[in-house]
Amino acid sequence: MKHSYLALFIAASLTPNFYAHAAQSAANTDSIERIEVAGQTIKSQGLSVKGATINGPFGDNLALQDIARSVTPISSELIEQLNITTLQDVLAVSPNTYSASGFGAPSLPTIRGQLGELFQDGTRRQAGNNGFGVPLSFNSVEQIDVVKGAPPVLFGSSQRNGGFVNLHSKTASTDESKGKVKLSAGRWDQYSAQVDYTAPIIKDKVGLRVSYEHLDEGSYYDYSGTKSDSLFAALRILPDDKSSWDINFELYQVEFTDNAGINRPTQALIDDGLYITGQGVQANGSTVPAAGSIVSPTGQVKIDRSTVLTDPDNQNEATTYLIHSIYKRELSANASLKNITYFQHLQREEIAQNSFVEIIDGADTAQNRTELTYRWNSDQQTIFAFDVRYNKVLGYSQFTTEADLPIDLTGPLSNRRIPLTDAQKARLVELSPGVFVSPGGQYDLDNDGSGDFNLSDTTDSRSWQTGIAIQQDSDWGDKLHTSVGYRVDFYDVEANDPIAPQGQVAASDSINETLHSGQVSFNYKLNSDYTTYGAASYNEATSNSMAGGTSLGSDNTISAQNFATENTLVEFGLKYAPTDSDWYADGAVFSQRRSLRNRDGSNTGIRTTGFESQVFYDAYPYWLSAGYSYIDARYDNSASSQDSAQVIDAFDNSRPDIIAGTGVGAPSFTAFAPSNRQVQGIPEQSFSFNGNYSINSKWQMGFSGLYTKSYPLDFLATVKIRDQYTLNVNTSYAFTPSTKLRLDVNNVTNQKNWRPVFEGGYFGATLAFPELPINAKLTLTHNF
């Protein structure tokens, strides 16, 4: 269309001369001159990554083929087309992003077999404790960039290094008014509504955008649901032609369900839905679930997949608000400045009937990063960054008395509930009437040389992170580009016990650490269509507890191990982005070593090698994409642990016709010796595909699918999730250019698929998550 407008403009500009010349010719020859104006029709529907611009991680305004990393930018059009509503949905389009269920509410992405970080506008958001945390609203999101590998030096030292997702906030318009209303209704009483409107306050100077989303969703799963409200506001200020200032605010409140899936994941459960009945019994004869309980099987039944480990009396809610400020200014022809400021406050409370407690009584995070970009000449550019991040967390936790394997889900709700005994209460501290949590430190009340309390993640901690980074980007002719970066982060951390037992001096400790990271990469243009690249990075990261806080160990000190997670990446790739074609493709091979935080605070080394590729074609009336992943994830001669060694440990051998149990009892925490075994819970191969066809200008039809190869659910590989696939279809019809109705039908073949519950495989022998059966959603969108 741009070419068409240009041709018409040129023709209009020449009109007076044309008429004069035509009149002269007519007078002389009576002939008529004819001019043809030709234009090129733009066929792109905005559903390919090819033309995307990437801002933040490696600099600003970078084309995808110029970034020496595997990246999948997901535009707002692609978010709508793929019906992305949770972080798990990105696996539909980005290779190597298969994830566990995150207890039904994933708060972090999973990339290349490990939890990744969540950024928004270039700053790290508060998220879950090892993936379990507050659900994410996409009400504020305009674009999603999925990047493989540890965050670059500009983003700094963090906690999780498999990769990261950078969310780009919606921005306000300063030149036009527009809005959108979106209503949806789905199976199991799932309803949502969103209103989004932007308008200039001062034409070409100041614009405002407001977006509100409400969710009221029932669930296929028993005693489950989500209710949430998100209010987002964006202000854009353009003081002059050299600067811009975007200020964003989001308030998010949610009530949601901690869904642990189905326990006792035997191979019979995974393959045939057969569940072994019988409540576990403690050595003292009690049927209250507890460590070491043993199940005498009473039968085997087909369990309804909606029967999961939930409880109608559980309390689980959270409130958070975030503020982002992004100021950019062109200082001169060679220098530019960017300042990013972020603040987030989070409160969360979960009190579950199975004795699990996590209460964040206030978590505040503030960060400010200033980036100065200086272009020495047309070939050399340097980015300097100074970054300060403050994090303060007051939180209470208790997970030491949970016991899932002894529970018979087919029995009454009382089977699932764990009232604490007096002996258990004595090893905890009463936070409020009837609510017991772990103290934030260990105490020896009877002076016998061992601690008398159960520890979890309770903490009152604060940390200062100060980082200095430099990145040098160089062009060596028309074909070769290199980038070298280094960053140093200084940590000042303090942790205190906020709820010491009566009569005890609260434990506390502090630590100062210095962490380093570096990166080097190259891009080489083979020709106008093909670019090859290589990248290497080294990153020292931290291990934290809930909301990014730091808890004391059993010796009442902050473990230096929390700052000893070394991560390395080597990656080579090829990108195909032809200027005269509607195709885009890339592929990458990688070797990545990283550390995984265990439940006890230690770190386990994991090494992954693999290959990933993505292909896009976008030309009206067609759109297609496909992604393939191969990953070999293994423990790097490193130890691991599980809630129980294997599921058969929960059962005795009284019914060998059902299961040959070992009678060890469960849960029974098991630490495995260092090994190079395959990491559980990660499919070695996966393949995703998506497509859309416009039958005419009003009617479209689309599809998507995901295939994952068989993989072990537990460390010893005694139970496997078989090869499985999911197929989805959708269709939309535009009644007017502004009003569209869309129908999504997910899992159309009604596959009975499974997924791990928790990242890192800790509950691999204990829990498995049943994915949703066939379901449908109807969405009405009106633009105005």
Side-chain angles (χ1 to χ4, degrees):
M1 292 299 291
K2 290 182 179 179
H3 298 292
S4 301
Y5 292 144
L6 179 60
L8 288 171
F9 176 78
I10 294 172
S13 301
L14 296 175
T15 296
N17 293 331
F18 161 65
Y19 281 133
H21 178 73
Q24 176 88 27
S25 299
N28 295 334
T29 63
D30 293 328
S31 63
I32 298 176
E33 181 178 0
R34 187 175 71 178
I35 293 179
E36 292 185 2
V37 178
Q40 179 181 352
T41 303
I42 291 180
K43 297 184 292 182
S44 173
Q45 305 166 84
L47 300 177
S48 174
V49 301
K50 180 180 177 180
T53 299
I54 312 299
N55 292 300
F58 310 96
D60 286 344
N61 302 315
L62 297 177
L64 183 59
Q65 60 267 31
D66 294 332
I67 297 176
R69 281 284 192 93
S70 177
V71 183
T72 306
I74 306 173
S75 65
S76 57
E77 293 86 358
L78 201 49
I79 291 173
E80 181 178 350
Q81 174 62 38
L82 295 172
N83 193 28
I84 293 176
T85 58
T86 73
L87 282 174
Q88 283 185 338
D89 295 334
V90 301
L91 65 89
V93 68
S94 182
N96 261 326
T97 56
Y98 185 80
S99 64
S101 73
F103 288 95
S107 63
L108 290 169
T110 299
I111 301 173
R112 289 182 178 170
Q114 191 204 355
L115 282 173
E117 287 290 8
L118 180 64
F119 290 82
Q120 186 162 5
D121 298 323
T123 55
R124 180 160 49 104
R125 284 184 52 144
Q126 288 175 353
N129 181 2
N130 286 347
F132 174 59
V134 180
L136 176 68
S137 169
F138 282 86
N139 180 47
S140 65
V141 177
E142 190 78 53
Q143 179 173 313
I144 305 169
D145 293 339
V146 184
V147 185
K148 315 299 171 56
V153 295
L154 292 181
F155 281 9
S157 175
S158 59
Q159 179 180 354
R160 305 165 184 94
N161 294 277
F164 62 93
V165 167
N166 188 28
L167 307 174
H168 294 273
S169 299
K170 295 174 178 177
T171 57
S173 173
T174 60
D175 58 1
E176 64 175 333
S177 300
K178 57 183 178 180
K180 180 173 73 173
V181 176
K182 186 175 178 181
L183 305 172
S184 71
R187 192 178 180 188
W188 309 301
D189 296 324
Q190 297 192 343
Y191 304 103
S192 67
Q194 183 188 60
V195 179
D196 187 350
Y197 182 74
T198 182
I201 299 175
I202 302 175
K203 183 73 171 178
D204 297 326
K205 289 290 185 181
V206 181
L208 178 67
R209 184 169 186 171
V210 178
S211 184
Y212 171 74
E213 180 186 62
H214 174 73
L215 271 65
D216 188 349
E217 297 183 340
S219 177
Y220 163 74
Y221 306 106
D222 291 347
Y223 315 119
S224 297
T226 301
K227 290 185 178 181
S228 69
D229 292 279
S230 169
L231 175 64
F232 173 79
L235 182 68
R236 164 160 278 196
I237 303 172
L238 304 177
D240 49 48
D241 61 352
K242 297 182 182 300
S243 58
S244 66
W245 191 12
D246 289 289
I247 305 169
N248 308 318
F249 171 81
E250 182 182 10
L251 173 63
Y252 180 59
Q253 192 279 331
V254 61
E255 299 176 17
F256 62 104
T257 303
D258 174 357
N259 186 342
I262 297 178
N263 63 344
R264 304 180 182 178
T266 62
Q267 197 63 58
L269 176 69
I270 300 300
D271 293 346
D272 304 310
L274 296 176
Y275 184 85
I276 300 174
T277 60
Q279 184 77 353
V281 179
Q282 299 182 43
N284 62 7
S286 172
T287 58
V288 173
S293 296
I294 298 176
V295 179
S296 297
T298 57
Q300 195 172 35
V301 299
K302 193 91 169 178
I303 192 170
D304 192 318
R305 290 166 60 88
S306 65
T307 305
V308 291
L309 278 169
T310 54
D311 193 297
D313 291 340
N314 287 352
Q315 303 174 43
N316 197 11
E317 59 184 359
T319 300
T320 186
Y321 61 84
L322 304 90
I323 301 171
H324 281 93
S325 166
I326 306 100
Y327 177 76
K328 299 180 180 180
R329 181 166 182 81
E330 182 182 333
L331 301 176
S332 68
N334 297 328
S336 61
L337 177 76
K338 180 167 70 171
N339 182 270
I340 303 173
T341 302
Y342 153 77
F343 176 80
Q344 181 175 1
H345 174 78
L346 170 68
Q347 288 186 287
R348 176 170 185 257
E349 180 176 275
E350 178 177 5
I351 302 174
Q353 297 302 306
N354 68 344
S355 75
F356 177 82
V357 176
E358 182 169 290
I359 297 174
I360 299 175
D361 210 15
D364 295 302
T365 303
Q367 182 172 352
N368 182 274
R369 183 169 71 248
T370 299
E371 298 176 12
L372 176 65
T373 302
Y374 189 83
R375 179 167 288 278
W376 305 93
N377 54 49
S378 60
D379 298 327
Q380 301 293 327
Q381 172 183 284
T382 306
I383 303 175
F384 303 93
F386 179 74
D387 203 345
V388 178
R389 181 180 176 91
Y390 173 76
N391 191 60
K392 187 180 188 306
V393 178
L394 174 60
Y396 307 92
S397 177
Q398 155 40 22
F399 50 65
T400 61
T401 56
E402 287 182 83
D404 295 325
L405 276 174
I407 295 170
D408 183 352
L409 273 179
T410 65
L413 282 174
S414 58
N415 279 5
R416 314 177 187 189
R417 296 176 172 174
I418 304 178
L420 299 178
T421 64
D422 290 340
Q424 289 172 323
K425 292 177 182 178
R427 297 187 61 84
L428 302 169
V429 180
E430 191 169 21
L431 176 65
S432 60
V435 178
F436 289 83
V437 298
S438 298
Q442 187 58 271
Y443 305 91
D444 182 9
L445 302 183
D446 54 12
N447 297 313
D448 65 351
S450 61
D452 296 320
F453 292 88
N454 297 343
L455 297 185
S456 50
D457 286 333
T458 296
T459 187
D460 180 4
S461 64
R462 64 118 182 110
S463 67
W464 283 97
Q465 175 186 350
T466 305
I468 302 171
I470 183 171
Q471 178 176 306
Q472 178 66 33
D473 299 319
S474 305
D475 290 321
W476 309 98
D478 297 332
K479 292 182 176 294
L480 179 63
H481 173 85
T482 62
S483 180
V484 180
Y486 168 76
R487 173 162 173 154
V488 59
D489 282 281
F490 304 97
Y491 279 86
D492 178 10
V493 184
E494 177 185 294
N496 304 279
D497 180 2
I499 188 168
Q502 188 173 5
Q504 300 297 307
V505 177
S508 64
D509 191 28
S510 62
I511 193 170
N512 293 280
E513 294 285 345
T514 302
L515 277 65
H516 302 269
S517 59
Q519 64 190 41
V520 59
S521 66
F522 74 87
N523 298 72
Y524 185 78
K525 288 186 178 295
L526 300 174
N527 53 45
S528 60
D529 294 344
Y530 291 92
T531 302
T532 186
Y533 73 87
S537 74
Y538 171 81
N539 174 281
E540 295 177 343
T542 64
S543 292
N544 307 110
S545 58
M546 56 181 172
T550 301
S551 54
L552 297 172
S554 58
D555 59 354
N556 288 342
T557 66
I558 300 172
S559 173
Q561 186 80 0
N562 288 350
F563 303 88
T565 59
E566 298 181 347
N567 307 274
T568 60
L569 166 70
V570 177
E571 180 179 320
F572 294 95
L574 179 67
K575 297 186 179 183
Y576 172 66
T579 56
D580 58 351
S581 172
D582 301 303
W583 288 93
Y584 172 85
D586 64 36
V589 293
F590 62 88
S591 176
Q592 194 165 320
R593 188 194 184 280
R594 56 198 185 275
S595 293
L596 177 72
R597 180 181 181 269
N598 298 319
R599 187 176 181 180
D600 64 359
S602 64
N603 296 307
T604 293
I606 294 175
R607 182 177 294 278
T608 60
T609 56
F611 168 77
E612 59 203 22
S613 179
Q614 57 186 356
V615 178
F616 286 83
Y617 176 80
D618 181 18
Y620 184 85
Y622 299 101
W623 168 71
L624 297 168
S625 79
Y628 171 77
S629 304
Y630 168 79
I631 185 170
D632 181 23
R634 296 186 176 275
Y635 291 100
D636 191 18
N637 193 28
S638 189
S640 183
S641 60
Q642 274 185 178
D643 183 51
S644 293
Q646 51 189 341
V647 67
I648 60 175
D649 289 347
F651 305 98
D652 62 25
N653 199 30
S654 61
R655 290 291 303 272
D657 56 316
I658 296 177
I659 190 168
T662 64
V664 170
S668 52
F669 174 82
T670 304
F672 298 105
S675 74
N676 298 105
R677 293 183 68 98
Q678 179 182 357
V679 177
Q680 65 271 40
I682 303 171
E684 190 176 54
Q685 297 185 63
S686 63
F687 174 67
S688 63
F689 55 92
N690 306 277
N692 184 75
Y693 174 68
S694 297
I695 299 171
N696 53 47
S697 60
K698 295 184 177 181
W699 187 15
Q700 297 181 337
M701 299 190 70
F703 61 88
S704 66
L706 175 68
Y707 163 81
T708 54
K709 191 169 179 58
S710 174
Y711 59 93
L713 186 59
D714 61 320
F715 179 85
L716 296 176
T718 62
V719 177
K720 291 187 175 183
I721 293 181
R722 309 294 192 186
D723 292 18
Q724 57 186 26
Y725 67 90
T726 304
L727 296 176
N728 311 312
V729 296
N730 65 80
T731 183
S732 64
Y733 187 82
F735 296 97
T736 70
S738 301
T739 305
K740 181 173 68 175
L741 186 66
R742 169 169 167 151
L743 174 66
D744 286 272
V745 182
N746 303 311
N747 193 10
V748 292
T749 57
N750 204 27
Q751 298 299 297
K752 294 177 172 56
N753 294 333
W754 297 87
R755 189 181 291 258
V757 166
F758 193 64
E759 304 292 346
Y762 184 81
F763 292 106
T766 306
L767 304 167
F769 194 85
E771 295 192 18
L772 292 173
I774 183 172
N775 62 92
K777 182 172 72 171
L778 199 62
T779 303
L780 177 67
T781 304
H782 177 70
N783 295 289
F784 58 93

